[in-house]
Amino acid sequence: MANDIQIKNKRKISKDQWTAIAFLFPSIILIIVFVYGFIGWTGYVSLSNYNSLIPDFSFAGLKNYLYLFQDFRFQADLRNTLFFTILFIGAVIVIGMGLAILIDQKLKGESIFRNIFLFPMALSFVVTGVVWQWLLNPSTGFNQFLSVFGIQPKWYTDTNILAGFEWGSIEFGLPVAIISVVIAAVWQMTGFSLAMYLAGLRGIPDELREAARMDGATEFQVYWKVVLPMLAPITMSVIIIMAHISLKIFDLIYAMTGSGANFVTDVPGVYMFETTFRGNYYANGAAIAIIMLLLVAVFIVPYLWSGRKGDQ
Amino acid sequence: MKKKLLALFTFVVLALLIAACSSESSGDADGKTDDAGKDSGGGDSKGEVEIFSWWTGAGEEDGLLALIELFEEKNPDISIDNAAVSGGAGTNAKAVLATRMQGNDPPSTFQVHGGEELNKSWVAADKMEPLNDFYEENEWMDKFPEELIDLVSSDGNIYSIPVNIHRGNVFFYNMQVFEENEIEVPTTMDEFFAAADKLQEAGVIPVALGDKESWTATQIFENVLLGKLGPDDYKKLFAGEIGFDDSRVVEAAEQFGKILDYVNEDHASRNWQDSAQLVANGEAAMLNMGDWAKGYFANDLDLETNVDFGYFAFPDTDGEFQIITDTFGLPKGVDNPDDVKEFLKVLASVEGQDAFNPLKGSIPARIDADPEKYDQYGKDAMEDFKNSRLVPSLAHGSAASEGFLTKANQAVNIFVTQRDVDNFIQALVSAAPEM
């Protein structure tokens, strides 16, 4: 019985579908070679002894990975990435949603506000990095203004770790300097989540809110009980998109802090760049790249999985 | 329907094939069109020399262009392709170069620091032509100091031609600040620390540092090392004959830490130019920097040499010269080596070096160049260059491989915050096999 249906289905592939498959075919080949092939190649290099300008593809096993996990700098990178990701995504969601809800109050001149908040997204992270490097430089105007009030923030040059404890060779805890990098990243990306949430809010039919109001819900309850639950898929998308940005971030950090004193603002992307292109440690660099890929996969794969279930 | 499908499939396969072929043939044709271009374009032109460097900044680009102009005057039939890649003290250029060299598409000649940056990478990878005969043909063996030729040699073969010299063991200081606090130029580390204490009491930052990129701090360390070890043992250290756990290296690390006690608090947010500004405006007194800082003081900040700012050799390293030298060699597999050699001849000539260096702010690598073309600092440095022991710089890739340098910079970055001498020494010891 089941077999019959399958055969029927097979026969049912229409001419249009064949055409579509034929046209997809070249790009599938290209992607297999230039995306998956290169990922595979990077994985292969990461398992080799290719750690100088002279190619050496002899098998090294997990040597490069073991080296990384014992490396002070890479341990710091993982810690920094963890805190950067949590703070960055959290702030982007909270601030983006908050602004979207405010703008959604049928403001006059709404588009002006929208543009103001969306504009930073038009800049590249490198520009953001340079601008915020000046703004938060401990010896420039903004900080001298703060020092009038007795506050002397060191921003990204701070080497303190909040609530730190020894973990392996590094101090585990929130590096204070990460906060300044998060500020710059949030400044750049909040516009994006604002736009997402605004679209989401507009997609919620007014009838639902009206119905809630009729039932005697306060405005707060309308948002808390009706609107927010309906924004859950948007939040999911924002998390996925921001997570892959924050796990792969390179340009912002490279332009803003370098790696920071004691590597308090270093991230795998910067380490990968320096290892590969300064030190010529190609295998080590490839290993970092693969670990970054796996980190992103941790976020992306469950998302794809849930999408697949949806299809069925 | 089947026919149509077949036709469509054939079409797609054909399209793919054509795409593949055309890219291949365009690869082939590259060489051919190049040749054709030369024939039709230059008439009787011999060929093209592609000069690969990271000289795109103010003074350095001027120097390079002057050099190219001189070459074109002498060789009107050879055209020059200035393939400079900007950014990041050569980091970007080095990445591009690595890709091209590994893809067997070398530039005609490229900028590389003399020392291990040349020897441990391109020479070791068997990508460079030896130039011994070329040196002897042109009688250059006694025109460059012996220790400099050693630096661009590996196993008895010479691999490149130095065009300029920068010095790394220099302290620049604000003369007014020194005068106000009645401080003499220190020649030993003890005098240096005494002066630093005095400056600190007077409310001046004794030493400016901008180690957003850690090579600036690495440079201080290598100079302390040189002072502690002396030129011979310093070279032995980087030849692997003396271990990094040697007691004098440990003392150097301690002294390096002590110097760090006197630097500006926001050093991690500054680059070297930012730290030079601290000295220029009198907030800080001294700056250890390669002598490209002189160009920055004189040209960018409009300060007068020996009036606003002065200079002295890093304490305990008088009579020693930490050299950073840009050199050009001849990669293997270049189409027209003879044309490239013509360029190298200009590069090595007194005329070429005197055209390039006054603009770049460096001094010539030849000992018989004309001092009158250089400012007072240049004259002093040329005098020192002739009479000093030359030692290779770690921070600029001459003393050890790029791989070791990357790890050393990493260790220095950690040390600057943690000040853990044992850890620092341990990191250097474990990186040592990669020198």
Side-chain angles (χ1 to χ4, degrees):
Chain A
M1 184 66 187
N3 273 343
D4 282 346
I5 292 170
Q6 266 184 7
I7 288 164
K8 255 187 181 173
N9 277 345
K10 251 187 195 169
R11 280 186 188 146
K12 261 191 181 166
I13 295 179
S14 69
K15 203 177 105 190
D16 283 351
Q17 278 171 322
W18 273 114
T19 318
I21 289 169
F23 275 98
L24 280 175
F25 186 69
S27 53
I28 286 173
I29 298 280
L30 291 176
I31 284 177
I32 285 175
V33 173
F34 289 105
V35 177
Y36 297 98
F38 284 4
I39 290 175
W41 177 251
T42 306
Y44 174 66
V45 170
S46 77
L47 297 173
S48 75
N49 284 312
Y50 191 1
N51 273 326
S52 68
L53 283 168
I54 306 154
D56 175 3
F57 294 110
S58 58
F59 185 68
L62 292 175
K63 194 186 80 185
N64 298 310
Y65 292 92
L66 293 177
Y67 168 78
L68 282 179
F69 285 108
Q70 287 158 7
D71 183 28
F72 172 87
R73 181 169 178 182
F74 194 68
Q75 290 170 352
D77 287 354
L78 291 179
R79 172 199 66 198
N80 299 341
T81 305
L82 176 74
F83 285 105
F84 180 81
T85 306
I86 293 173
L87 293 177
F88 170 65
I89 297 184
V92 163
I93 287 178
V94 171
I95 298 174
M97 192 192 288
L99 289 173
I101 289 175
L102 290 179
I103 289 180
D104 194 39
Q105 307 303 313
K106 316 237 160 25
L107 276 180
K108 256 191 188 164
E110 181 200 307
S111 67
I112 296 173
F113 288 102
R114 243 183 9 220
N115 290 341
I116 287 174
F117 291 118
L118 262 176
F119 186 70
M121 254 184 67
L123 296 176
S124 110
F125 261 131
V126 176
V127 178
T128 308
V130 173
V131 169
W132 281 91
Q133 188 225 324
W134 287 331
L135 282 173
L136 299 184
N137 188 310
S139 52
T140 53
F142 177 55
N143 295 290
Q144 271 158 14
F145 168 73
L146 286 180
S147 68
V148 173
F149 303 100
I151 315 166
Q152 275 185 312
K154 284 155 94 185
W155 298 110
Y156 58 89
T157 63
D158 201 319
T159 52
N160 287 320
I161 309 281
L162 281 185
F165 58 90
E166 290 290 316
W167 187 57
S169 61
I170 65 152
E171 205 179 354
F172 191 82
L174 169 66
V176 177
I178 280 285
I179 295 169
S180 54
V181 192
V182 168
I183 292 175
V186 167
W187 177 84
Q188 162 119 31
M189 293 312 297
T190 298
F192 177 77
S193 73
L194 163 101
M196 297 271 285
Y197 279 116
L198 204 53
L201 287 169
R202 294 289 146 83
I204 298 170
D206 270 344
E207 292 78 22
L208 278 179
R209 303 189 205 192
E210 282 307 315
R213 289 194 188 107
M214 296 286 280
D215 286 346
T218 63
E219 204 58 16
F220 177 77
Q221 282 172 323
V222 170
Y223 273 98
W224 190 245
K225 294 258 167 77
V226 178
V227 174
L228 285 190
M230 297 201 69
L231 289 177
I234 304 265
T235 304
M236 190 65 195
S237 306
V238 172
I239 289 178
I240 297 294
I241 291 164
M242 293 304 145
H244 92 87
I245 289 175
S246 81
L247 293 170
K248 292 189 300 194
I249 196 146
F250 164 76
D251 29 13
L252 176 73
I253 309 272
Y254 194 72
M256 189 168 162
T257 70
S259 323
N262 214 22
F263 298 114
V264 279
T265 55
D266 196 48
V267 290
V270 175
Y271 192 21
M272 200 278 275
F273 178 78
E274 287 187 0
T275 304
T276 312
F277 297 112
R278 256 182 216 175
N280 300 322
Y281 294 109
Y282 293 100
N284 280 342
I288 300 173
I290 291 291
I291 293 171
M292 285 168 70
L293 179 76
L294 294 177
L295 285 176
V296 176
V298 166
F299 277 82
I300 302 289
V301 169
Y303 180 70
L304 295 180
W305 195 254
S306 68
R308 201 185 69 98
K309 272 186 192 157
D311 281 353
Q312 283 174 347
Chain B
M1 193 195 90
K2 264 190 182 169
K3 265 186 189 168
K4 267 191 187 166
L5 264 180
L6 196 68
L8 191 68
F9 185 74
T10 330
F11 166 76
V12 169
V13 170
L14 268 179
L16 270 177
L17 272 176
I18 290 166
C21 287
S22 71
S23 72
E24 224 170 73
S25 60
S26 78
D28 264 351
D30 253 5
K32 284 171 201 156
T33 35
D34 261 20
D35 287 344
K38 278 165 213 157
D39 287 341
S40 60
D44 57 351
S45 87
K46 284 206 289 189
E48 191 180 64
V49 176
E50 185 190 12
I51 303 163
F52 188 94
S53 72
W54 56 85
W55 284 329
T56 55
E60 53 193 28
E61 191 182 20
D62 296 340
L64 179 62
L65 293 178
L67 202 57
I68 291 175
E69 198 177 317
L70 181 68
F71 174 82
E72 282 175 339
E73 233 168 71
K74 295 191 167 208
N75 300 279
D77 50 345
I78 306 174
S79 62
I80 290 274
D81 179 9
N82 178 8
V85 176
S86 67
T91 313
N92 301 346
K94 283 176 192 169
V96 174
L97 181 68
T99 316
R100 290 187 55 177
M101 293 292 270
Q102 286 171 346
N104 288 324
D105 172 32
S108 309
T109 182
F110 61 88
Q111 176 191 7
V112 59
H113 287 142
E116 303 299 33
E117 187 180 313
L118 167 73
N119 299 332
K120 281 283 155 61
S121 38
W122 304 122
V123 173
D126 196 23
K127 298 276 189 191
M128 303 300 288
E129 297 281 2
L131 298 170
N132 302 34
D133 298 343
F134 189 46
Y135 262 72
E136 264 154 34
E137 229 170 80
N138 291 289
E139 297 170 346
W140 289 335
M141 292 304 287
D142 55 351
K143 300 295 190 300
F144 297 101
E146 207 183 319
E147 282 181 307
L148 182 61
I149 293 184
D150 282 349
L151 198 67
V152 294
S153 303
S154 183
D155 295 329
N157 283 326
I158 308 170
Y159 285 99
S160 72
I161 293 164
V163 60
N164 68 350
I165 301 290
H166 275 298
R167 187 177 192 178
N169 57 331
V170 193
F171 257 114
F172 292 92
Y173 67 101
N174 185 313
M175 291 187 102
Q176 207 188 336
V177 170
F178 262 44
E179 230 165 77
E180 276 169 12
N181 297 288
E182 291 166 356
I183 287 170
E184 297 282 312
V185 166
T187 54
T188 65
M189 280 322 279
D190 291 337
E191 287 174 27
F192 174 81
F193 285 125
D197 281 331
K198 212 168 165 187
L199 286 161
Q200 202 160 41
E201 270 166 41
V204 183
I205 299 163
V207 181
L209 173 68
D211 66 340
K212 194 182 159 201
E213 292 174 82
S214 30
W215 63 263
T216 53
T218 306
Q219 186 165 308
I220 297 181
F221 177 58
E222 74 181 1
N223 287 326
V224 179
L225 263 182
L226 177 61
K228 278 275 168 208
L229 291 169
D232 290 314
D233 283 356
Y234 176 88
K235 284 182 183 172
K236 278 186 191 158
L237 178 73
F238 289 107
E241 290 162 28
I242 292 177
F244 278 95
D245 44 6
D246 188 280
S247 65
R248 287 167 298 170
V249 179
V250 177
E251 278 170 38
E254 282 160 0
Q255 211 164 59
F256 172 43
K258 203 172 160 194
I259 294 176
L260 292 172
D261 290 338
Y262 293 101
V263 304
N264 44 305
E265 221 185 309
D266 60 353
H267 57 90
S269 69
R270 289 173 183 269
N271 57 26
W272 74 262
Q273 287 97 333
D274 297 335
S275 63
Q277 282 170 16
L278 287 179
V279 174
N281 64 26
E283 272 180 71
M286 297 178 272
L287 169 75
N288 168 224
M289 186 41 60
D291 54 16
W292 44 87
K294 186 225 48 180
Y296 185 68
F297 281 131
N299 304 334
D300 296 273
L301 302 180
D302 274 331
L303 300 179
E304 206 172 322
T305 316
N306 286 330
V307 176
D308 298 316
F309 72 94
Y311 42 86
F312 58 91
F314 199 95
D316 287 340
T317 70
D318 198 27
E320 288 147 30
F321 198 106
Q322 190 84 251
I323 37 174
I324 295 119
T325 174
D326 287 303
T327 72
F328 285 81
L330 179 61
K332 283 190 172 164
V334 168
D335 291 339
N336 47 345
D338 290 334
D339 293 348
V340 180
K341 280 186 173 173
E342 287 304 319
F343 176 74
L344 294 179
K345 270 186 203 165
V346 172
L347 197 80
S349 68
V350 174
E351 214 182 340
Q353 305 225 333
D354 283 344
F356 176 79
N357 287 304
L359 293 171
K360 166 86 158 61
S362 43
I363 62 166
R366 283 179 72 120
I367 40 184
D368 56 350
D370 179 10
E372 285 315 308
K373 295 211 162 186
Y374 298 85
D375 63 358
Q376 191 53 46
Y377 176 84
K379 283 176 192 152
D380 290 351
M382 283 165 83
E383 198 55 38
D384 284 346
F385 178 61
K386 260 184 231 169
N387 303 322
S388 299
R389 292 294 308 276
L390 308 182
V391 289
S393 152
L394 166 68
H396 300 281
S398 298
S401 73
E402 297 270 293
F404 178 80
L405 173 59
T406 307
K407 291 195 173 165
N409 278 337
Q410 214 161 294
V412 165
N413 181 325
I414 295 166
F415 179 73
V416 169
T417 323
Q418 298 188 349
R419 301 292 172 80
D420 187 330
V421 173
D422 292 342
N423 248 346
F424 183 47
I425 295 295
Q426 196 44 49
L428 292 174
V429 168
S430 64
E434 286 159 62
M435 286 194 307

